[in-house]
Amino acid sequence: ACNIVDWPAFRVRGYMHDTGRSFIEFEELKKQIALLSRYKINVFHWHLTENQGWRLESKLYPQLNSTSNYTRHPGKYYTIAQAKELVEWCKKHEITLIPEIDMPGHSDAFTRAFGYNMQTTQGLATLKSLMTEICDVFSGTEWMHIGTDEVKITLPEFVPEMVTHIRSLGKKVVSWNPGYSYTNTGIDMIQMWSSSGKPLAGVPTIDSRYHYINHFDQFADIVGIYNSSIAGQTKG
């Protein structure tokens, strides 16, 4: 009876699950991706590591997945085979998968597994080896999210070296803002997460300010999201 001509105002229309804190079963993730793709959601941000647990299998460092290394949902993690399957599942549904390995903060699970934290010479070397493995697991993705929020930087070379290393593995790098203070050539995309987040000139920006729905007041959150302004822009 009619033709509808429509298009999205923004090229990134995504959602994130923090499975590091609270594990979500693999088949449930697949179900949600399939459903949300129908509504033109085109990015899934997969937050895989947190203080509570390291949720991605590692063949290189299996201690990360030891049951004793979890403070919530012990022993619950995604296998390498599942991670690769989810990349293909997302592609099938025209959704870009952005995995996140949070560093150097939100990383108590790493410290429990190794006995040292990321911001040490040993920690940096271990994490580089680990990220080489992870970038191979996610060889079918373009982006890698590295966190860098809510942490005091005590090893100045940590973030620049990790960005360089991950870029050398063929990935573009995303980071939270507020977080590490980047130059516009020091990062490939930023993701604003709090009210103090600001766009970085010349760098693609995802605006997630006020967009959390775990604040225990679903009605207020829904109103806030509906009335929100995306980086002060009407399209992008």
Side-chain angles (χ1 to χ4, degrees), residues 21 40 45 75 78 94 121 126 165 211 226 235:
R21 286 185 174 93
K40 304 299 187 286
H45 175 173
Y78 305 99
E94 299 184 1
T121 302
T126 299
H165 178 66
H211 290 171
Y226 183 80
K235 61 182 179 179

Side-chain angles (χ1 to χ4, degrees), residues 37-227:
S37 70
R38 296 174 59 186
Y39 298 94
K40 304 299 187 286
I41 296 298
N42 68 351
V43 172
F44 173 47
H45 175 173
W46 198 9
H47 187 90
L48 281 161
T49 65
E50 256 301 335
N51 294 326
Q52 292 83 355
W54 193 279
R55 304 290 179 191
L56 179 64
E57 180 186 17
S58 174
K59 301 289 189 184
L60 195 59
Y61 300 110
Q63 61 265 44
L64 285 164
N65 308 124
S66 170
T67 300
S68 62
N69 194 40
Y70 295 87
T71 61
R72 188 181 293 170
H73 306 300
K76 290 284 190 176
Y77 61 89
Y78 305 99
T79 66
I80 288 173
Q82 286 176 325
K84 290 183 176 181
E85 181 181 343
L86 203 67
V87 171
E88 295 307 312
W89 184 257
C90 285
K91 286 181 180 178
K92 177 182 176 182
H93 292 88
E94 299 184 1
I95 286 180
T96 297
L97 191 152
I98 301 179
E100 180 181 353
I101 305 299
D102 215 337
M103 60 182 81
H106 297 266
S107 57
D108 289 357
F110 178 97
T111 302
R112 285 193 299 272
F114 295 105
Y116 48 83
N117 68 46
M118 291 180 177
Q119 292 196 82
T120 59
T121 302
Q122 194 174 8
L124 183 58
T126 299
L127 189 58
K128 284 181 178 179
S129 297
L130 185 55
M131 290 309 299
T132 299
E133 179 187 43
I134 291 170
C135 286
D136 181 62
V137 171
F138 289 105
S139 60
T141 67
E142 181 181 9
W143 297 90
M144 180 62 65
H145 202 305
I146 64 169
T148 81
D149 62 314
E150 297 185 308
V151 64
K152 182 179 180 181
I153 300 297
T154 58
L155 190 68
E157 65 270 28
F158 179 91
V159 174
E161 284 199 24
M162 288 309 305
V163 171
T164 298
H165 178 66
I166 293 168
R167 281 174 167 172
S168 75
L169 297 169
K171 301 296 182 193
K172 294 179 181 178
V173 186
V174 195
S175 179
W176 291 113
N177 174 273
Y180 185 80
S181 296
Y182 295 96
T183 64
N184 60 4
T185 59
I187 196 69
D188 301 302
M189 184 157 65
I190 62 167
Q191 183 171 3
M192 302 184 296
W193 65 272
S194 83
S195 57
S196 57
K198 296 179 181 179
L200 181 61
V203 176
T205 300
I206 296 174
D207 189 355
S208 299
R209 299 173 295 181
Y210 311 113
H211 290 171
Y212 291 84
I213 55 171
N214 62 336
H215 289 167
F216 313 109
D217 188 347
Q218 288 89 343
F219 293 106
D221 285 337
I222 289 169
V223 172
I225 289 170
Y226 183 80
N227 290 303

